[in-house]
Structure formats: structure tokens, C-alpha cells
Amino acid sequence: MNKGIILILMGYIGWGLFPLYWALVKHVPAFEVLSHRMLWSVPVLIIFVAFITSWRSDFFSTLKNKRELGWLLLTSILITINWGVYVYAVNTDRVVEASMGYFLSPLLHVLGGLIIFKEHLGPLRKLAVTFATLGVLYYILSVEVFPWIGLVVGFSFAAYGILRKFIKTSAVPGLLVETLLLVPLSLGYLVFIEMNGEAVFLNLNLNTDIFLGLAGLVTVVPLVLFTAGARLMPMTTAGILFYITPTMQFLIGAFIFKEVVNTDQLIGFSGIWIGLALYSFSLLKRQAKIEPSRESA
């Protein structure tokens, strides 16, 4: 098997297993988990960036670029929202709903390209977006509780990807800058709740402390694996394989956490899944056209 595919699969599987990990700290308030996730990501990211020359150079160049820092401040807010809401989804037994957001995000990304970059959408992609939109609308109108978690997860992840197109800094050094920009707030919050006797970290048991302390490693390693793999294979393949992540999260929510998935939810998801199938087919058709042109060149 291609080395790039192996690395990307490992990254996607790591992200797919997130619900199982965050469930280990389900008894900790989501905002405290988020704060530890950001805090402990910094030393892990520093180690990776320090040992890879291109990432190290990229990081220091970004620190001197005010425009890049401005964009990265915006993306840091989006990724913080995404991380925090996902942890909250696990805490409140709404993993299935959150997986909807990640299923939806590629199609939201396409829609963003149409609106922001004035990209042309072929018939298949238009049909894909239409099916996904109908699925989401049905989901929203049929369930008793408005699925804000899924929508926030999807829109924040898609918006993060769209804004990243304006940024030259690569993924891993960029995430280091993003976390550094907001980690003072995380650290300040952790100090505040510790002083007020509300912190769980160091005040409950060793297992909880270890799981919170490893939150940074768990967050960063899948991204590093994905970044390394993406350099070795077409982004079309990487994009299609991404669906492994929300599929795993959906299955974990439905079959391991025993979250209720009713007929109306499945109908809503089906619209999104059909949209994703059409979108994936359009990507494969596009890749098939590119490869012969390369060979003829």
C-alpha cells in the first residue's frame, strides 16, 4: 500500500477515534478540557516544528508577517470553536449529531468556494450540494432539538478550511501559531478555576490528570500524520478518504455510546450521504481527466 495512504489513514482513524478519547474525560467540564487541549498542544507542536527544518522556517517567517498573523488569529478562533463544541458534543451524548457536521463540511467548503472564490460548480457538484441541503433541512425540521452542534461543527470546520486558503503557512506550524495566540486565555482560565476551587485537573484522580495532559498529543499526532501523507498522494484521494473520520464517529456514537438514531435522522443523513457520493464521484472524474493530460505532457 502507498506510504501516503497509510499515513493519511492513520491520521483519519486517529480523528475518528476522538469520541472514545474525549469520553474518558466526560466528567470534566468541556471548557476545561478545551483549555487543556490547547495548552498541551503547544509543547507537542513545538517539538515537531523544531525537528523539521521546513516547518521551523515556516513558523519563524509567519511570526514576522502581520498579515499572516491576522488570518491565523481568525482561524484560531474557528478551530477553538470547533474543538470546544466537539468536546461538548461528547459530554452531552450528541456524537452522532456532531458527525453530521463533519460529513457536511466538504460540501459546505464547495459552497464557500462558489460564494467567496466564484468557483464554477459542475452539474454533479450542484446536485451534491442540493441533496445535502435537503438532507440538512429535513434533519432540522424533523428532530425535536435543533441540531446546532452538528451545524456549528460543520460550518466552523468548513470556514476554517476556506480561510486557510488565504494563508501561506503550512498546517502544523500554522496550528502552533494558532494555539500560541489563544493559549494565554486558556492558561488564564485554568489558573482562575484552580484559584476558585473549581478545577478538576490535579484535584480528582491521576487517570483524569493523565488523560487531560495527553490531550495535546492526541490532538496533534493525527494532524502530523495527515500532513505527512498528503504530501505523497493526490488531494482527491485524501479528500475522499476523509469520510472515514465522520463514519467512525457516527458508528461510535450509534453503536458504542448507544445514542438514539431514529428514522428521521437517517433520512436527513441519507441526503448528506448521497450528496457526498455525488461529490466524490465528481472528484474521481476530475482526477481521471487530469492524469491522462499529465501523461501526454
Side-chain angles (χ1 to χ4, degrees):
M1 187 181 290
N2 182 286
K3 182 181 177 182
I5 291 179
I6 293 173
L7 290 170
I8 279 189
L9 283 175
M10 289 171 65
Y12 286 158
I13 290 170
W15 281 325
L17 293 172
F18 268 1
L20 295 177
Y21 190 84
W22 302 127
L24 297 173
V25 288
K26 193 175 180 179
H27 54 288
V28 182
F31 204 79
E32 184 174 352
V33 176
L34 171 64
S35 298
H36 280 287
R37 191 177 181 184
M38 294 186 67
L39 176 64
W40 299 114
S41 290
V42 171
V44 178
L45 285 163
I46 287 174
I47 291 170
F48 279 112
V49 170
F51 277 92
I52 298 179
T53 305
S54 60
W55 286 352
R56 186 168 65 247
S57 174
D58 207 3
F59 171 72
F60 285 113
S61 296
T62 300
L63 293 182
K64 301 173 186 176
N65 189 325
K66 291 182 179 179
R67 179 183 177 278
E68 286 284 286
L69 290 174
W71 282 114
L72 285 167
L73 178 60
L74 290 176
T75 54
S76 69
I77 294 170
L78 286 170
I79 201 64
T80 299
I81 292 171
N82 183 270
W83 287 3
V85 171
Y86 194 84
V87 171
Y88 179 78
V90 177
N91 278 14
T92 54
D93 301 316
R94 293 170 74 176
V95 172
V96 168
E97 181 187 324
S99 74
M100 178 191 78
Y102 285 121
F103 277 122
L104 192 60
S105 62
L107 298 172
L108 290 173
H109 201 283
V110 169
L111 197 58
L114 174 67
I115 297 170
I116 298 172
F117 301 107
K118 309 299 180 184
E119 294 176 356
H120 172 71
L121 293 188
L124 275 176
R125 294 196 179 191
K126 287 179 181 177
L127 195 58
V129 171
T130 300
F131 268 105
T133 302
L134 292 173
V136 171
L137 287 175
Y138 186 90
Y139 192 108
I140 290 172
L141 295 173
S142 63
V143 296
E144 295 180 2
V145 180
F146 183 75
W148 68 269
I149 287 177
L151 294 176
V152 170
V153 166
F155 275 96
S156 60
F157 194 67
Y160 179 82
I162 290 169
L163 286 183
R164 262 327 212 119
K165 290 189 174 183
F166 293 96
I167 298 170
K168 295 179 181 178
T169 311
S170 53
V172 176
L175 185 60
L176 176 55
V177 176
E178 288 165 345
T179 50
L180 284 173
L181 286 170
L182 291 184
V183 80
L185 294 177
S186 299
L187 188 57
Y189 173 76
L190 291 173
V191 170
F192 174 79
I193 60 174
E194 176 63 35
M195 292 176 63
N196 283 273
E198 300 171 1
V200 176
F201 186 67
L202 299 179
N203 294 299
L204 185 60
N205 57 54
L206 181 59
N207 284 345
T208 299
D209 298 340
I210 291 172
F211 292 139
L212 289 174
L214 291 175
L217 188 68
V218 170
T219 296
V220 172
V221 169
L223 174 65
V224 173
L225 291 169
F226 166 78
T227 303
R231 296 173 60 187
L232 304 174
M233 60 186 298
M235 285 309 296
T236 299
T237 307
I240 293 172
L241 289 176
F242 169 77
Y243 306 136
I244 291 170
T245 294
T247 299
M248 288 180 63
Q249 294 174 354
F250 176 88
L251 294 174
I252 288 170
F255 295 104
I256 296 180
F257 295 161
K258 306 296 182 182
E259 294 181 15
V260 176
V261 183
N262 59 39
T263 303
D264 287 330
Q265 285 175 298
L266 284 176
I267 292 172
F269 267 102
S270 295
I272 298 169
W273 291 333
I274 292 170
L276 286 175
L278 291 169
Y279 174 65
S280 300
F281 184 64
S282 74
L283 288 178
L284 290 172
K285 282 186 65 178
R286 183 182 178 187
Q287 185 64 30
K289 289 180 181 178
I290 292 173
E291 287 176 355
S293 65
R294 285 176 178 171
E295 291 175 4
S296 61

PDB file of all heavy atoms in Angstrom, residues 259-293:
ATOM      1  N   GLU A 259     -26.289   5.994  21.288  1.00  0.00           N
ATOM      2  CA  GLU A 259     -27.130   7.162  21.068  1.00  0.00           C
ATOM      3  C   GLU A 259     -28.285   6.785  20.137  1.00  0.00           C
ATOM      4  O   GLU A 259     -28.109   5.997  19.211  1.00  0.00           O
ATOM      5  CB  GLU A 259     -26.312   8.309  20.459  1.00  0.00           C
ATOM      6  CG  GLU A 259     -25.248   8.852  21.392  1.00  0.00           C
ATOM      7  CD  GLU A 259     -24.466  10.006  20.779  1.00  0.00           C
ATOM      8  OE1 GLU A 259     -24.919  10.559  19.761  1.00  0.00           O
ATOM      9  OE2 GLU A 259     -23.393  10.350  21.319  1.00  0.00           O
ATOM     10  N   VAL A 260     -29.443   7.357  20.386  1.00  0.00           N
ATOM     11  CA  VAL A 260     -30.624   7.042  19.584  1.00  0.00           C
ATOM     12  C   VAL A 260     -30.484   7.647  18.190  1.00  0.00           C
ATOM     13  O   VAL A 260     -30.182   8.834  18.031  1.00  0.00           O
ATOM     14  CB  VAL A 260     -31.903   7.586  20.259  1.00  0.00           C
ATOM     15  CG1 VAL A 260     -33.116   7.341  19.365  1.00  0.00           C
ATOM     16  CG2 VAL A 260     -32.102   6.918  21.620  1.00  0.00           C
ATOM     17  N   VAL A 261     -30.685   6.823  17.173  1.00  0.00           N
ATOM     18  CA  VAL A 261     -30.710   7.290  15.784  1.00  0.00           C
ATOM     19  C   VAL A 261     -32.049   6.863  15.196  1.00  0.00           C
ATOM     20  O   VAL A 261     -32.270   5.678  14.917  1.00  0.00           O
ATOM     21  CB  VAL A 261     -29.548   6.684  14.956  1.00  0.00           C
ATOM     22  CG1 VAL A 261     -29.569   7.256  13.536  1.00  0.00           C
ATOM     23  CG2 VAL A 261     -28.204   6.956  15.622  1.00  0.00           C
ATOM     24  N   ASN A 262     -32.968   7.815  15.031  1.00  0.00           N
ATOM     25  CA  ASN A 262     -34.299   7.465  14.546  1.00  0.00           C
ATOM     26  C   ASN A 262     -34.387   7.565  13.021  1.00  0.00           C
ATOM     27  O   ASN A 262     -33.445   7.966  12.345  1.00  0.00           O
ATOM     28  CB  ASN A 262     -35.373   8.331  15.222  1.00  0.00           C
ATOM     29  CG  ASN A 262     -35.157   9.820  14.978  1.00  0.00           C
ATOM     30  OD1 ASN A 262     -34.774  10.229  13.888  1.00  0.00           O
ATOM     31  ND2 ASN A 262     -35.399  10.633  15.997  1.00  0.00           N
ATOM     32  N   THR A 263     -35.542   7.211  12.504  1.00  0.00           N
ATOM     33  CA  THR A 263     -35.745   7.179  11.051  1.00  0.00           C
ATOM     34  C   THR A 263     -35.568   8.560  10.426  1.00  0.00           C
ATOM     35  O   THR A 263     -34.965   8.697   9.352  1.00  0.00           O
ATOM     36  CB  THR A 263     -37.152   6.639  10.725  1.00  0.00           C
ATOM     37  OG1 THR A 263     -37.303   5.346  11.307  1.00  0.00           O
ATOM     38  CG2 THR A 263     -37.358   6.543   9.218  1.00  0.00           C
ATOM     39  N   ASP A 264     -36.090   9.589  11.093  1.00  0.00           N
ATOM     40  CA  ASP A 264     -35.978  10.946  10.552  1.00  0.00           C
ATOM     41  C   ASP A 264     -34.506  11.378  10.447  1.00  0.00           C
ATOM     42  O   ASP A 264     -34.109  12.008   9.461  1.00  0.00           O
ATOM     43  CB  ASP A 264     -36.741  11.935  11.438  1.00  0.00           C
ATOM     44  CG  ASP A 264     -38.250  11.794  11.276  1.00  0.00           C
ATOM     45  OD1 ASP A 264     -38.674  11.418  10.167  1.00  0.00           O
ATOM     46  OD2 ASP A 264     -38.981  12.048  12.242  1.00  0.00           O
ATOM     47  N   GLN A 265     -33.720  11.035  11.461  1.00  0.00           N
ATOM     48  CA  GLN A 265     -32.299  11.358  11.399  1.00  0.00           C
ATOM     49  C   GLN A 265     -31.622  10.637  10.240  1.00  0.00           C
ATOM     50  O   GLN A 265     -30.805  11.220   9.520  1.00  0.00           O
ATOM     51  CB  GLN A 265     -31.612  10.978  12.719  1.00  0.00           C
ATOM     52  CG  GLN A 265     -31.907  11.918  13.880  1.00  0.00           C
ATOM     53  CD  GLN A 265     -31.293  11.406  15.168  1.00  0.00           C
ATOM     54  OE1 GLN A 265     -31.640  10.328  15.650  1.00  0.00           O
ATOM     55  NE2 GLN A 265     -30.374  12.161  15.717  1.00  0.00           N
ATOM     56  N   LEU A 266     -31.956   9.366  10.065  1.00  0.00           N
ATOM     57  CA  LEU A 266     -31.354   8.590   8.974  1.00  0.00           C
ATOM     58  C   LEU A 266     -31.739   9.152   7.605  1.00  0.00           C
ATOM     59  O   LEU A 266     -30.922   9.160   6.682  1.00  0.00           O
ATOM     60  CB  LEU A 266     -31.781   7.128   9.073  1.00  0.00           C
ATOM     61  CG  LEU A 266     -31.083   6.307  10.160  1.00  0.00           C
ATOM     62  CD1 LEU A 266     -31.678   4.900  10.219  1.00  0.00           C
ATOM     63  CD2 LEU A 266     -29.578   6.239   9.907  1.00  0.00           C
ATOM     64  N   ILE A 267     -32.971   9.630   7.477  1.00  0.00           N
ATOM     65  CA  ILE A 267     -33.393  10.237   6.209  1.00  0.00           C
ATOM     66  C   ILE A 267     -32.566  11.507   5.954  1.00  0.00           C
ATOM     67  O   ILE A 267     -32.082  11.744   4.838  1.00  0.00           O
ATOM     68  CB  ILE A 267     -34.901  10.565   6.226  1.00  0.00           C
ATOM     69  CG1 ILE A 267     -35.709   9.258   6.232  1.00  0.00           C
ATOM     70  CG2 ILE A 267     -35.285  11.415   5.018  1.00  0.00           C
ATOM     71  CD1 ILE A 267     -37.206   9.461   6.431  1.00  0.00           C
ATOM     72  N   GLY A 268     -32.395  12.316   7.000  1.00  0.00           N
ATOM     73  CA  GLY A 268     -31.585  13.520   6.868  1.00  0.00           C
ATOM     74  C   GLY A 268     -30.141  13.189   6.507  1.00  0.00           C
ATOM     75  O   GLY A 268     -29.548  13.796   5.605  1.00  0.00           O
ATOM     76  N   PHE A 269     -29.577  12.206   7.198  1.00  0.00           N
ATOM     77  CA  PHE A 269     -28.209  11.775   6.902  1.00  0.00           C
ATOM     78  C   PHE A 269     -28.104  11.223   5.480  1.00  0.00           C
ATOM     79  O   PHE A 269     -27.091  11.427   4.804  1.00  0.00           O
ATOM     80  CB  PHE A 269     -27.762  10.697   7.900  1.00  0.00           C
ATOM     81  CG  PHE A 269     -27.045  11.231   9.096  1.00  0.00           C
ATOM     82  CD1 PHE A 269     -27.696  11.356  10.319  1.00  0.00           C
ATOM     83  CD2 PHE A 269     -25.712  11.603   9.023  1.00  0.00           C
ATOM     84  CE1 PHE A 269     -27.036  11.845  11.428  1.00  0.00           C
ATOM     85  CE2 PHE A 269     -25.043  12.088  10.134  1.00  0.00           C
ATOM     86  CZ  PHE A 269     -25.699  12.214  11.343  1.00  0.00           C
ATOM     87  N   SER A 270     -29.146  10.530   5.032  1.00  0.00           N
ATOM     88  CA  SER A 270     -29.112   9.933   3.695  1.00  0.00           C
ATOM     89  C   SER A 270     -28.952  10.995   2.613  1.00  0.00           C
ATOM     90  O   SER A 270     -28.232  10.795   1.631  1.00  0.00           O
ATOM     91  CB  SER A 270     -30.393   9.125   3.446  1.00  0.00           C
ATOM     92  OG  SER A 270     -30.470   8.028   4.329  1.00  0.00           O
ATOM     93  N   GLY A 271     -29.626  12.125   2.803  1.00  0.00           N
ATOM     94  CA  GLY A 271     -29.464  13.224   1.854  1.00  0.00           C
ATOM     95  C   GLY A 271     -28.020  13.702   1.799  1.00  0.00           C
ATOM     96  O   GLY A 271     -27.465  13.937   0.714  1.00  0.00           O
ATOM     97  N   ILE A 272     -27.396  13.813   2.973  1.00  0.00           N
ATOM     98  CA  ILE A 272     -25.997  14.231   3.039  1.00  0.00           C
ATOM     99  C   ILE A 272     -25.092  13.177   2.414  1.00  0.00           C
ATOM    100  O   ILE A 272     -24.157  13.489   1.657  1.00  0.00           O
ATOM    101  CB  ILE A 272     -25.585  14.500   4.494  1.00  0.00           C
ATOM    102  CG1 ILE A 272     -26.428  15.639   5.088  1.00  0.00           C
ATOM    103  CG2 ILE A 272     -24.098  14.848   4.594  1.00  0.00           C
ATOM    104  CD1 ILE A 272     -26.281  15.807   6.584  1.00  0.00           C
ATOM    105  N   TRP A 273     -25.365  11.899   2.707  1.00  0.00           N
ATOM    106  CA  TRP A 273     -24.535  10.806   2.175  1.00  0.00           C
ATOM    107  C   TRP A 273     -24.634  10.719   0.653  1.00  0.00           C
ATOM    108  O   TRP A 273     -23.643  10.480  -0.019  1.00  0.00           O
ATOM    109  CB  TRP A 273     -24.936   9.478   2.818  1.00  0.00           C
ATOM    110  CG  TRP A 273     -24.579   9.390   4.272  1.00  0.00           C
ATOM    111  CD1 TRP A 273     -23.568  10.048   4.910  1.00  0.00           C
ATOM    112  CD2 TRP A 273     -25.237   8.613   5.279  1.00  0.00           C
ATOM    113  NE1 TRP A 273     -23.559   9.731   6.247  1.00  0.00           N
ATOM    114  CE2 TRP A 273     -24.560   8.852   6.507  1.00  0.00           C
ATOM    115  CE3 TRP A 273     -26.319   7.734   5.269  1.00  0.00           C
ATOM    116  CZ2 TRP A 273     -24.941   8.241   7.695  1.00  0.00           C
ATOM    117  CZ3 TRP A 273     -26.701   7.121   6.454  1.00  0.00           C
ATOM    118  CH2 TRP A 273     -26.021   7.378   7.652  1.00  0.00           C
ATOM    119  N   ILE A 274     -25.834  10.914   0.107  1.00  0.00           N
ATOM    120  CA  ILE A 274     -25.987  10.917  -1.354  1.00  0.00           C
ATOM    121  C   ILE A 274     -25.199  12.080  -1.955  1.00  0.00           C
ATOM    122  O   ILE A 274     -24.515  11.928  -2.977  1.00  0.00           O
ATOM    123  CB  ILE A 274     -27.481  11.013  -1.750  1.00  0.00           C
ATOM    124  CG1 ILE A 274     -28.216   9.727  -1.349  1.00  0.00           C
ATOM    125  CG2 ILE A 274     -27.634  11.262  -3.251  1.00  0.00           C
ATOM    126  CD1 ILE A 274     -29.729   9.823  -1.475  1.00  0.00           C
ATOM    127  N   GLY A 275     -25.285  13.233  -1.294  1.00  0.00           N
ATOM    128  CA  GLY A 275     -24.514  14.392  -1.745  1.00  0.00           C
ATOM    129  C   GLY A 275     -23.021  14.111  -1.743  1.00  0.00           C
ATOM    130  O   GLY A 275     -22.297  14.462  -2.691  1.00  0.00           O
ATOM    131  N   LEU A 276     -22.543  13.444  -0.696  1.00  0.00           N
ATOM    132  CA  LEU A 276     -21.118  13.110  -0.602  1.00  0.00           C
ATOM    133  C   LEU A 276     -20.718  12.103  -1.677  1.00  0.00           C
ATOM    134  O   LEU A 276     -19.618  12.192  -2.246  1.00  0.00           O
ATOM    135  CB  LEU A 276     -20.802  12.547   0.783  1.00  0.00           C
ATOM    136  CG  LEU A 276     -20.758  13.558   1.923  1.00  0.00           C
ATOM    137  CD1 LEU A 276     -20.564  12.843   3.253  1.00  0.00           C
ATOM    138  CD2 LEU A 276     -19.640  14.570   1.708  1.00  0.00           C
ATOM    139  N   ALA A 277     -21.596  11.152  -1.972  1.00  0.00           N
ATOM    140  CA  ALA A 277     -21.305  10.169  -3.016  1.00  0.00           C
ATOM    141  C   ALA A 277     -21.169  10.854  -4.372  1.00  0.00           C
ATOM    142  O   ALA A 277     -20.238  10.565  -5.146  1.00  0.00           O
ATOM    143  CB  ALA A 277     -22.403   9.108  -3.060  1.00  0.00           C
ATOM    144  N   LEU A 278     -22.066  11.784  -4.658  1.00  0.00           N
ATOM    145  CA  LEU A 278     -22.001  12.523  -5.921  1.00  0.00           C
ATOM    146  C   LEU A 278     -20.742  13.401  -5.978  1.00  0.00           C
ATOM    147  O   LEU A 278     -20.072  13.478  -7.009  1.00  0.00           O
ATOM    148  CB  LEU A 278     -23.254  13.398  -6.082  1.00  0.00           C
ATOM    149  CG  LEU A 278     -24.569  12.642  -6.305  1.00  0.00           C
ATOM    150  CD1 LEU A 278     -25.756  13.588  -6.176  1.00  0.00           C
ATOM    151  CD2 LEU A 278     -24.573  11.974  -7.679  1.00  0.00           C
ATOM    152  N   TYR A 279     -20.429  14.038  -4.854  1.00  0.00           N
ATOM    153  CA  TYR A 279     -19.240  14.886  -4.783  1.00  0.00           C
ATOM    154  C   TYR A 279     -17.975  14.047  -4.992  1.00  0.00           C
ATOM    155  O   TYR A 279     -17.065  14.436  -5.740  1.00  0.00           O
ATOM    156  CB  TYR A 279     -19.202  15.592  -3.431  1.00  0.00           C
ATOM    157  CG  TYR A 279     -17.941  16.384  -3.174  1.00  0.00           C
ATOM    158  CD1 TYR A 279     -17.619  17.492  -3.951  1.00  0.00           C
ATOM    159  CD2 TYR A 279     -17.079  16.021  -2.145  1.00  0.00           C
ATOM    160  CE1 TYR A 279     -16.465  18.226  -3.719  1.00  0.00           C
ATOM    161  CE2 TYR A 279     -15.921  16.749  -1.900  1.00  0.00           C
ATOM    162  CZ  TYR A 279     -15.621  17.839  -2.686  1.00  0.00           C
ATOM    163  OH  TYR A 279     -14.463  18.558  -2.455  1.00  0.00           O
ATOM    164  N   SER A 280     -17.907  12.891  -4.356  1.00  0.00           N
ATOM    165  CA  SER A 280     -16.749  12.007  -4.508  1.00  0.00           C
ATOM    166  C   SER A 280     -16.606  11.545  -5.955  1.00  0.00           C
ATOM    167  O   SER A 280     -15.498  11.497  -6.498  1.00  0.00           O
ATOM    168  CB  SER A 280     -16.880  10.791  -3.589  1.00  0.00           C
ATOM    169  OG  SER A 280     -16.947  11.183  -2.236  1.00  0.00           O
ATOM    170  N   PHE A 281     -17.733  11.231  -6.591  1.00  0.00           N
ATOM    171  CA  PHE A 281     -17.700  10.807  -7.989  1.00  0.00           C
ATOM    172  C   PHE A 281     -17.182  11.928  -8.879  1.00  0.00           C
ATOM    173  O   PHE A 281     -16.406  11.687  -9.817  1.00  0.00           O
ATOM    174  CB  PHE A 281     -19.098  10.375  -8.429  1.00  0.00           C
ATOM    175  CG  PHE A 281     -19.157   9.831  -9.825  1.00  0.00           C
ATOM    176  CD1 PHE A 281     -18.472   8.663 -10.161  1.00  0.00           C
ATOM    177  CD2 PHE A 281     -19.874  10.482 -10.819  1.00  0.00           C
ATOM    178  CE1 PHE A 281     -18.513   8.156 -11.450  1.00  0.00           C
ATOM    179  CE2 PHE A 281     -19.921   9.990 -12.113  1.00  0.00           C
ATOM    180  CZ  PHE A 281     -19.241   8.820 -12.430  1.00  0.00           C
ATOM    181  N   SER A 282     -17.582  13.174  -8.567  1.00  0.00           N
ATOM    182  CA  SER A 282     -17.095  14.316  -9.363  1.00  0.00           C
ATOM    183  C   SER A 282     -15.590  14.496  -9.184  1.00  0.00           C
ATOM    184  O   SER A 282     -14.887  14.850 -10.142  1.00  0.00           O
ATOM    185  CB  SER A 282     -17.844  15.596  -8.968  1.00  0.00           C
ATOM    186  OG  SER A 282     -17.412  16.087  -7.706  1.00  0.00           O
ATOM    187  N   LEU A 283     -15.088  14.242  -7.967  1.00  0.00           N
ATOM    188  CA  LEU A 283     -13.649  14.338  -7.727  1.00  0.00           C
ATOM    189  C   LEU A 283     -12.891  13.279  -8.525  1.00  0.00           C
ATOM    190  O   LEU A 283     -11.838  13.556  -9.108  1.00  0.00           O
ATOM    191  CB  LEU A 283     -13.348  14.163  -6.236  1.00  0.00           C
ATOM    192  CG  LEU A 283     -13.736  15.302  -5.286  1.00  0.00           C
ATOM    193  CD1 LEU A 283     -13.393  14.918  -3.847  1.00  0.00           C
ATOM    194  CD2 LEU A 283     -13.024  16.592  -5.657  1.00  0.00           C
ATOM    195  N   LEU A 284     -13.428  12.063  -8.545  1.00  0.00           N
ATOM    196  CA  LEU A 284     -12.778  10.977  -9.282  1.00  0.00           C
ATOM    197  C   LEU A 284     -12.773  11.252 -10.785  1.00  0.00           C
ATOM    198  O   LEU A 284     -11.783  10.978 -11.469  1.00  0.00           O
ATOM    199  CB  LEU A 284     -13.494   9.656  -8.989  1.00  0.00           C
ATOM    200  CG  LEU A 284     -13.319   9.112  -7.566  1.00  0.00           C
ATOM    201  CD1 LEU A 284     -14.224   7.903  -7.342  1.00  0.00           C
ATOM    202  CD2 LEU A 284     -11.862   8.731  -7.306  1.00  0.00           C
ATOM    203  N   LYS A 285     -13.865  11.787 -11.291  1.00  0.00           N
ATOM    204  CA  LYS A 285     -13.931  12.128 -12.720  1.00  0.00           C
ATOM    205  C   LYS A 285     -12.895  13.201 -13.060  1.00  0.00           C
ATOM    206  O   LYS A 285     -12.217  13.127 -14.078  1.00  0.00           O
ATOM    207  CB  LYS A 285     -15.328  12.635 -13.081  1.00  0.00           C
ATOM    208  CG  LYS A 285     -16.375  11.549 -13.244  1.00  0.00           C
ATOM    209  CD  LYS A 285     -17.696  12.119 -13.747  1.00  0.00           C
ATOM    210  CE  LYS A 285     -17.559  12.682 -15.155  1.00  0.00           C
ATOM    211  NZ  LYS A 285     -18.844  13.200 -15.674  1.00  0.00           N
ATOM    212  N   ARG A 286     -12.773  14.186 -12.175  1.00  0.00           N
ATOM    213  CA  ARG A 286     -11.808  15.261 -12.403  1.00  0.00           C
ATOM    214  C   ARG A 286     -10.383  14.720 -12.376  1.00  0.00           C
ATOM    215  O   ARG A 286      -9.552  15.086 -13.210  1.00  0.00           O
ATOM    216  CB  ARG A 286     -11.985  16.340 -11.333  1.00  0.00           C
ATOM    217  CG  ARG A 286     -11.070  17.535 -11.517  1.00  0.00           C
ATOM    218  CD  ARG A 286     -11.276  18.535 -10.402  1.00  0.00           C
ATOM    219  NE  ARG A 286     -10.375  19.658 -10.534  1.00  0.00           N
ATOM    220  CZ  ARG A 286     -10.235  20.617  -9.640  1.00  0.00           C
ATOM    221  NH1 ARG A 286     -10.965  20.602  -8.536  1.00  0.00           N
ATOM    222  NH2 ARG A 286      -9.389  21.601  -9.829  1.00  0.00           N
ATOM    223  N   GLN A 287     -10.098  13.828 -11.412  1.00  0.00           N
ATOM    224  CA  GLN A 287      -8.764  13.246 -11.317  1.00  0.00           C
ATOM    225  C   GLN A 287      -8.452  12.400 -12.554  1.00  0.00           C
ATOM    226  O   GLN A 287      -7.328  12.404 -13.054  1.00  0.00           O
ATOM    227  CB  GLN A 287      -8.663  12.375 -10.061  1.00  0.00           C
ATOM    228  CG  GLN A 287      -7.278  11.818  -9.787  1.00  0.00           C
ATOM    229  CD  GLN A 287      -6.254  12.905  -9.497  1.00  0.00           C
ATOM    230  OE1 GLN A 287      -6.592  13.967  -8.972  1.00  0.00           O
ATOM    231  NE2 GLN A 287      -5.007  12.646  -9.853  1.00  0.00           N
ATOM    232  N   ALA A 288      -9.448  11.691 -13.053  1.00  0.00           N
ATOM    233  CA  ALA A 288      -9.256  10.860 -14.240  1.00  0.00           C
ATOM    234  C   ALA A 288      -8.930  11.695 -15.468  1.00  0.00           C
ATOM    235  O   ALA A 288      -8.169  11.273 -16.349  1.00  0.00           O
ATOM    236  CB  ALA A 288     -10.513  10.029 -14.503  1.00  0.00           C
ATOM    237  N   LYS A 289      -9.465  12.914 -15.533  1.00  0.00           N
ATOM    238  CA  LYS A 289      -9.149  13.805 -16.648  1.00  0.00           C
ATOM    239  C   LYS A 289      -7.756  14.401 -16.536  1.00  0.00           C
ATOM    240  O   LYS A 289      -7.081  14.622 -17.527  1.00  0.00           O
ATOM    241  CB  LYS A 289     -10.184  14.941 -16.700  1.00  0.00           C
ATOM    242  CG  LYS A 289     -11.578  14.510 -17.153  1.00  0.00           C
ATOM    243  CD  LYS A 289     -12.517  15.690 -17.164  1.00  0.00           C
ATOM    244  CE  LYS A 289     -13.920  15.272 -17.598  1.00  0.00           C
ATOM    245  NZ  LYS A 289     -14.875  16.409 -17.579  1.00  0.00           N
ATOM    246  N   ILE A 290      -7.334  14.652 -15.286  1.00  0.00           N
ATOM    247  CA  ILE A 290      -6.019  15.271 -15.062  1.00  0.00           C
ATOM    248  C   ILE A 290      -4.895  14.312 -15.396  1.00  0.00           C
ATOM    249  O   ILE A 290      -3.900  14.684 -16.033  1.00  0.00           O
ATOM    250  CB  ILE A 290      -5.896  15.752 -13.594  1.00  0.00           C
ATOM    251  CG1 ILE A 290      -6.849  16.919 -13.343  1.00  0.00           C
ATOM    252  CG2 ILE A 290      -4.452  16.167 -13.274  1.00  0.00           C
ATOM    253  CD1 ILE A 290      -6.930  17.343 -11.886  1.00  0.00           C
ATOM    254  N   GLU A 291      -5.031  13.048 -14.995  1.00  0.00           N
ATOM    255  CA  GLU A 291      -3.941  12.079 -15.152  1.00  0.00           C
ATOM    256  C   GLU A 291      -3.553  11.832 -16.608  1.00  0.00           C
ATOM    257  O   GLU A 291      -2.370  11.840 -16.953  1.00  0.00           O
ATOM    258  CB  GLU A 291      -4.303  10.771 -14.448  1.00  0.00           C
ATOM    259  CG  GLU A 291      -4.239  10.905 -12.937  1.00  0.00           C
ATOM    260  CD  GLU A 291      -4.679   9.658 -12.217  1.00  0.00           C
ATOM    261  OE1 GLU A 291      -5.137   8.712 -12.904  1.00  0.00           O
ATOM    262  OE2 GLU A 291      -4.590   9.621 -10.979  1.00  0.00           O
ATOM    263  N   PRO A 292      -4.539  11.656 -17.557  1.00  0.00           N
ATOM    264  CA  PRO A 292      -4.137  11.486 -18.955  1.00  0.00           C
ATOM    265  C   PRO A 292      -3.410  12.710 -19.524  1.00  0.00           C
ATOM    266  O   PRO A 292      -2.494  12.582 -20.307  1.00  0.00           O
ATOM    267  CB  PRO A 292      -5.471  11.247 -19.684  1.00  0.00           C
ATOM    268  CG  PRO A 292      -6.367  10.711 -18.632  1.00  0.00           C
ATOM    269  CD  PRO A 292      -5.957  11.404 -17.373  1.00  0.00           C
ATOM    270  N   SER A 293      -3.850  13.907 -19.104  1.00  0.00           N
ATOM    271  CA  SER A 293      -3.207  15.134 -19.594  1.00  0.00           C
ATOM    272  C   SER A 293      -1.780  15.219 -19.121  1.00  0.00           C
ATOM    273  O   SER A 293      -0.900  15.712 -19.818  1.00  0.00           O
ATOM    274  CB  SER A 293      -4.007  16.359 -19.142  1.00  0.00           C
ATOM    275  OG  SER A 293      -3.986  16.491 -17.749  1.00  0.00           O
TER     276      SER A 293
END
